[in-house]
């Protein structure tokens, strides 16, 4: 069967952009030649649509084109490709109209002998049944128009084919199943054997006709020799068939999601004998059906019969995202991704993703307007069919900015979390926290006397969560000016703003002395709360505050014996708080009296407190309610959003990508008895 016939027979596999067959002479040691499918018609994963005309144009331009290992990082790099990256060239290109979506373009790829490392990868990937690890991706300059209805970028003209490169994840292709080839040595031996047998037969017949006196004995001897040779050829062919069956079995078992124990049974049934592909598929299908039935019957649970995921596959988009992360000094999993280098400039990052070195198309990777652009006004740009452009520049940048925002936000001191209660809330409706009253001492119930009925009074603390946020824009000029330092500062500044705003909100409950659920100020001298003193911070003043908290009573007038856990002070009182809480002796005492406040409470320094003299004692929220902070949807961290639609907002009016930070929360004092103010 010819190579062309093999391609035609496997057409339904749709192995676009993948190696599809090995040609004769591929292992000569003087380079390797493989037949490949350059591109398949229809819509690629990057959204470009190739019709019959564009495919024919590619088939014409690909003749003699160079092949490189991986795409160029930018348009400038594409022009100045290194000779070390060249791995071969294309010839004998042809357009095949058969098949769906406009057909395909095939060519022969000659791989240089110096690129044996690549050939080794191709052969090993195919031997292991993982040929999808390597594919082809075309890099061209052309014009396209946006179809607003389908959101497809229709190729309308192609000016130049830059290269067709070897990549890990092509976007204009399908699934690569296997290299279609036969054992040429065995076939040649078989063909030579057949030719030899035919020649010897003819010679024998001619000899008998020319010399009938030779007799039947000699003719019989020659026929026996021919029969032995025929048997040897059949034996060789049988061995080749057995080898192909074994390789096919191992490849399909590696692709299968069956558990190892079931794979072993299938291997045992088929190993050691020749079988065709239909029999192998029938065995695998039968095993899968049996497992499915056993699972439905409840006889198999949790034995690992789940579809495997290729967790070790690393896409080009992952590498580009890692380069963005490294640009923002974020941690990158180099053990998995390798030695990833961060982008050195924002312009380099933009060009790497979009291929637009001059920002001719604006700053969004999809910044095109109108239902369909006419050919005369369609932009000419780089069209790369690797999967690095599946995520837009704005999304990749925003993802890394959001990671940096969260890292900086979580690194910001938030010691207020020690003395508040954090809860998730569902919506922006008013939140109500009912505070039930308390029972007094249980009365004695005399014999034959009914129990007395009492009721509980209650009150409610309420608050309404609010939305806080800001907009940040990155302009086209910022990218053109390559102002990386300015962009790198945005997440840090947003994180500080969000963290400081939330801290101000919490500490304002202490410093502003608001009205709370009982219509009285949080801190009062005497009734109703009796939780405010008039002395500056000192050991004696703290002892008075502790006594006041111990004397706090419930609704029934019973003392609760509460104890403070934290001393909250402004920066002006930081050193005073350290002396008061960590000195072994009473500060200023002439007799070296033991300091009873040593280690009694933990100081918390709050820069958000506006008064230089106020200090506060706060109880442990696990023992007594203090302040509740509720986050909408349980989203404690702020969130960064991206607005880069080309016909909306600043992207349309001012050539700017807009990032929005949002933080949604609210809070209230739930119980005054866990709080005490010194001045």
């Amino acid at each position: 069967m010819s190579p062309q016939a093999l391609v035609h027979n496997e057409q339904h596999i749709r192995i676009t952009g993948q190696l599809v067959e090995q040609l004769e002479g591929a292992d000569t040691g003087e380079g390797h030649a493989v037949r490949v499918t350059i591109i398949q018609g229809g819509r690629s994963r990057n959204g470009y649509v190739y019709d019959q005309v564009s495919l024919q144009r590619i088939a014409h331009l690909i003749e003699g084109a160079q092949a490189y290992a991986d795409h160029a990082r930018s348009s400038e790099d594409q022009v100045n490709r290194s000779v070390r990256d060249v791995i071969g060239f294309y010839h004998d290109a042809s357009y095949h109209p058969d098949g769906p979506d406009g057909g395909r373009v095939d060519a022969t790829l000659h791989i240089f002998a110096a690129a044996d490392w690549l050939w080794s990868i191709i052969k090993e990937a195919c031997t292991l049944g993982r040929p999808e690890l390597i594919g082809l991706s075309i890099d061209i300059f052309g014009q396209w128009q946006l179809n607003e209805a389908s959101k497809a970028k229709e190729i309308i003209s192609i000016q130049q084919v830059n290269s067709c490169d070897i990549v890990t994840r092509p976007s204009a292709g399908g699934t690569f199943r296997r290299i279609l080839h036969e054992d040429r040595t065995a076939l040649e031996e078989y063909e030579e054997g057949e030719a030899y047998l035919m020649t010897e037969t003819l010679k024998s017949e001619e000899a008998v006709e020319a010399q009938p006196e030779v007799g039947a004995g000699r003719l019989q001897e020659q026929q026996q020799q021919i029969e032995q040779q025929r048997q040897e050829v059949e034996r060789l062919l049988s061995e080749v068939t057995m080898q192909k069956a074994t390789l096919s079995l191992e490849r399909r078992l590696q692709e299968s999601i069956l558990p190892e124990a079931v794979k072993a049974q299938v291997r045992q049934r088929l190993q050691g004998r020749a079988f065709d592909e239909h029999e192998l598929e029938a065995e695998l299908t039968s095993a899968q059906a049996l497992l499915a039935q056993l699972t439905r019957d409840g006889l198999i649970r949790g034995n690992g019969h789940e579809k495997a995921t290729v967790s070790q596959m690393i896409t080009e988009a992952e590498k580009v995202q890692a380069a963005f992360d490294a640009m923002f000094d974020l941690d990158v999993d180099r053990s998995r991704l390798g030695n990833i280098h961060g982008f050195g400039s924002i312009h380099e990052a933009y060009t790497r993703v979009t291929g637009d070195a001059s920002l001719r198309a604006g700053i969004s990777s999809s910044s095109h307007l109108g239902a369909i652009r006419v050919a005369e006004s369609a932009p000419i740009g780089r069209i790369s069919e690797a999967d690095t452009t599946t995520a837009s520049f704005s999304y990749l940048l925003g993802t890394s900015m959001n990671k940096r925002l969260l890292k900086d936000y979580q690194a910001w001191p938030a010691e207020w979390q020690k003395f508040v209660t954090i809860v998730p809330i569902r919506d922006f409706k008013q939140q109500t926290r009912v505070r039930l009253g308390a029972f007094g001492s249980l009365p004695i119930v005399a014999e034959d006397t009914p129990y007395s009925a009492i009721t509980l009074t209650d009150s409610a603390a309420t608050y309404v969560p609010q939305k806080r946020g800001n907009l940040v824009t990155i302009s086209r000029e910022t990218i053109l000016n390559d102002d990386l330092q300015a962009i790198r500062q945005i997440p840090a500044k947003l994180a500080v703003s969000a963290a400081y705003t939330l801290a101000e909100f919490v500490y304002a409950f202490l410093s502003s002395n608001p009205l709370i659920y009982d219509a009285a100020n949080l801190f009062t001298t005497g009734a109703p709360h009796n939780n405010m003193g008039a002395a500056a911070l000192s050991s004696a003043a703290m002892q008075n505050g502790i006594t006041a908290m111990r004397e706090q009573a419930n609704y029934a007038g019973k003392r609760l014996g509460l104890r403070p856990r934290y001393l909250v002070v402004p920066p002006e009182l930081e050193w005073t708080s350290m002396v008061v809480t960590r000195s072994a002796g009473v500060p200023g005492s002439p007799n070296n009296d033991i300091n009873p406040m040593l280690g009694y409470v933990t100081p918390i320094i709050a820069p958000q407190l506006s008064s230089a003299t106020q200090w506060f004692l706060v109880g442990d929220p696990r023992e007594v309610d203090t302040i509740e902070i509720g986050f909408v949807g349980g989203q404690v961290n702020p969130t960064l959003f991206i607005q880069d639609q080309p016909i909306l907002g600043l992207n349309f009016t001012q050539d700017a990508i807009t990032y929005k930070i949002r933080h949604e929360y609210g809070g209230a004092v739930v119980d005054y008895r866990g709080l005490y103010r010194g001045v």
Side-chain angles (χ1 to χ4, degrees):
M1 183 177 294
S2 66
Q4 291 79 5
L6 288 174
V7 174
H8 179 75
N9 289 342
E10 295 296 330
Q11 178 180 319
H12 66 280
I13 299 178
R14 298 194 63 181
I15 45 181
T16 306
Q18 305 288 349
L19 302 175
V20 296
E21 66 178 326
Q22 177 177 332
L23 296 184
E24 184 176 358
D27 286 319
T28 62
E30 300 295 332
H32 313 282
V34 294
R35 193 71 178 169
V36 300
T37 292
I38 300 294
I39 193 169
Q40 185 80 31
R43 182 170 181 170
S44 71
R45 286 203 294 266
N46 288 342
Y48 295 106
V49 177
Y50 299 87
D51 58 10
Q52 179 178 348
V53 176
S54 60
L55 292 177
Q56 290 174 342
R57 178 65 173 167
I58 292 174
H60 173 71
L61 295 175
I62 199 67
E63 190 70 27
Q66 293 173 317
Y68 294 89
D70 295 321
H71 275 318
R73 291 174 61 87
S74 64
S75 297
E76 289 86 350
D77 291 342
Q78 178 65 41
V79 177
N80 303 308
R81 295 299 294 264
S82 171
V83 69
R84 292 187 294 269
D85 296 332
V86 182
I87 56 92
F89 63 93
Y90 297 92
H91 61 90
D92 295 336
S94 60
Y95 166 68
H96 296 267
D98 52 329
D101 301 324
R104 71 182 190 276
V105 176
D106 288 354
T108 297
L109 169 60
H110 180 88
I111 300 178
F112 295 140
D116 277 342
W117 60 270
L118 175 62
W119 185 247
S120 298
I121 293 176
I122 295 172
K123 292 197 298 184
E124 185 172 357
C126 296
T127 302
L128 296 175
R130 297 291 302 280
E132 74 279 0
L133 296 175
I134 292 197
L136 298 171
S137 177
I138 193 168
D139 192 308
I140 62 178
F141 271 108
Q143 292 177 291
W144 55 269
Q145 59 188 11
L146 180 65
N147 188 319
E148 187 64 28
S150 63
K151 304 300 181 182
K153 293 175 280 190
E154 300 172 349
I155 303 297
I156 57 177
S157 70
I158 297 174
Q159 281 72 37
Q160 177 182 335
V161 171
N162 300 321
S163 61
C164 186
D165 305 325
I166 309 299
V167 297
T168 54
R169 295 293 295 273
S171 65
T175 302
F176 173 42
R177 295 296 182 88
R178 59 189 180 276
I179 294 179
L180 301 179
H181 68 91
E182 293 175 327
D183 190 317
R184 301 305 306 169
T185 302
L187 287 179
E188 289 168 1
E189 291 179 358
Y190 178 79
E191 292 171 356
E192 291 173 0
E194 288 285 352
Y196 175 79
L197 292 175
M198 182 63 69
T199 302
E200 291 299 319
T201 301
L202 291 175
K203 288 181 179 179
S204 299
E205 292 175 352
E206 291 173 357
V208 171
E209 293 177 356
Q211 301 179 4
E213 66 276 5
V214 173
R218 183 176 177 183
L219 178 60
Q220 184 177 3
E221 181 180 352
Q222 291 177 343
Q223 289 177 344
Q224 289 177 350
Q225 293 177 352
I226 293 173
E227 182 62 27
Q228 291 176 354
Q229 292 170 351
R230 186 185 301 277
Q231 292 176 357
E232 180 65 17
V233 171
E234 290 179 352
R235 184 187 65 79
L236 292 174
L237 186 59
S238 176
E239 289 181 358
V240 172
T241 303
M242 184 70 69
Q243 292 175 359
K244 289 181 62 178
T246 302
L247 290 175
S248 178
L249 172 63
E250 293 303 321
R251 177 182 60 81
R252 289 294 291 118
L253 288 178
Q254 289 177 6
E255 294 174 352
S256 174
I257 63 174
L258 291 172
E260 288 301 325
V262 180
K263 290 181 180 180
Q265 291 183 347
V266 174
R267 185 181 292 108
Q268 184 178 4
R269 284 196 295 269
L270 296 179
Q271 208 167 27
R273 65 183 180 87
F275 54 86
D276 57 22
E277 187 173 349
H278 297 292
E279 184 178 359
L280 172 59
E281 294 299 329
E283 285 284 350
L284 295 175
T285 302
S286 175
Q288 291 174 351
L290 176 60
L291 279 177
Q293 184 61 47
L294 293 175
T295 303
R296 286 193 296 268
D297 293 342
L299 299 179
I300 297 180
R301 295 190 181 93
N303 71 327
H305 181 53
E306 294 87 15
K307 187 170 183 177
T309 58
V310 188
S311 58
Q312 298 302 318
M313 291 289 292
I314 302 173
T315 66
E316 291 295 323
E318 286 181 294
K319 295 180 181 178
V320 174
Q321 184 69 76
F324 271 93
D325 291 347
M327 182 175 71
F328 282 92
D329 296 327
L330 293 166
D331 295 331
V332 176
D333 186 2
R334 300 185 188 278
S335 62
R336 176 174 178 267
L337 298 174
N339 190 21
I340 296 294
H341 297 284
F343 292 121
S345 67
I346 192 65
H347 189 267
E348 178 190 356
Y350 178 82
T351 304
R352 173 69 176 89
V353 174
T354 66
D356 181 12
S358 61
L359 274 76
R360 287 188 295 265
I363 64 172
S364 171
S365 63
S366 58
S367 55
H368 302 279
L369 180 63
I372 297 181
R373 292 192 173 191
V374 296
E376 291 75 13
S377 63
I380 298 177
R382 181 183 175 199
I383 301 171
S384 173
E385 282 302 350
D387 65 351
T388 55
T389 58
T390 55
S392 67
F393 166 76
S394 56
Y395 174 80
L396 292 166
L397 178 62
T399 299
S400 294
M401 289 178 65
N402 192 52
K403 292 179 182 178
R404 184 73 221 188
L405 167 71
L406 294 181
K407 181 176 180 179
D408 291 337
Y409 175 80
Q410 293 169 355
W412 186 262
E415 292 193 287
W416 54 266
Q417 296 182 4
K418 296 178 180 178
F419 61 84
V420 305
T421 301
I422 296 176
V423 299
I425 53 181
R426 297 179 57 184
D427 48 42
F428 289 93
K429 296 178 181 178
Q430 177 175 288
Q431 306 297 310
T432 302
R433 301 295 177 260
V434 177
R435 303 180 66 259
L436 291 175
F439 297 111
S441 300
L442 295 178
I444 297 175
V445 181
E447 185 179 357
D448 295 332
T449 303
Y451 288 86
S452 58
I454 59 174
T455 58
L456 286 175
T457 59
D458 60 55
S459 60
T462 62
Y463 65 92
V464 177
Q466 294 177 310
K467 178 170 58 180
R468 294 166 175 82
N470 227 329
L471 294 177
V472 179
T473 60
I474 298 177
S475 65
R476 184 172 185 266
E477 289 78 6
T478 301
I479 299 177
L480 280 174
N481 294 337
D482 213 11
D483 197 354
L484 175 60
Q485 193 61 33
I487 293 179
R488 290 177 63 177
Q489 292 180 24
I490 291 175
K493 292 184 180 298
L494 288 176
V496 171
S497 177
Y500 204 92
T501 302
L502 180 53
E504 284 182 326
F505 175 75
V506 175
Y507 288 114
F509 288 109
L510 302 179
S511 60
S512 65
N513 198 14
L515 294 175
I516 61 173
Y517 51 84
D518 58 0
N521 292 103
L522 171 58
F523 301 108
T524 64
T525 302
H529 298 160
N530 193 29
N531 62 348
M532 185 167 69
L537 179 61
S538 66
S539 179
M542 287 181 59
Q543 293 172 34
N544 292 334
I546 294 172
T547 300
M549 289 189 66
R550 294 285 193 184
E551 292 176 346
Q552 291 288 354
N554 62 18
Y555 281 94
K558 304 297 183 181
R559 290 184 177 181
L560 299 175
L562 300 175
R563 171 187 169 172
R565 283 289 184 269
Y566 304 102
L567 171 63
V568 183
V569 298
E572 293 84 352
L573 296 178
E574 178 175 2
W575 306 116
T576 303
S577 67
M578 296 299 176
V579 171
V580 172
T581 61
R582 298 184 180 179
S583 296
V586 176
S589 170
N591 300 320
N592 293 325
D593 295 339
I594 295 176
N595 180 18
M597 298 308 303
L598 175 62
Y600 195 87
V601 292
T602 301
I604 292 178
I605 314 303
Q608 291 76 20
L609 292 177
S610 56
S611 173
T613 59
Q614 289 179 347
W615 55 275
F616 306 87
L617 294 174
V618 185
D620 191 330
R622 294 173 296 182
E623 298 175 0
V624 58
D625 291 331
T626 54
I627 300 170
E628 177 180 303
I629 304 297
F631 292 90
V632 177
Q635 182 63 40
V636 177
N637 298 319
T639 308
L640 198 67
F641 296 89
I642 307 164
Q643 196 281 309
D644 70 333
Q645 292 299 312
I647 60 175
L648 300 175
L650 295 180
N651 200 341
F652 178 69
T653 61
Q654 300 179 21
D655 285 334
I657 301 175
T658 304
Y659 293 95
K660 176 178 69 178
I661 184 174
R662 187 176 71 193
H663 212 185
E664 301 166 328
Y665 53 85
V669 175
V670 181
D671 198 323
Y672 67 85
R673 291 171 296 187
L675 303 167
Y676 179 88
R677 173 174 158 181
V679 178

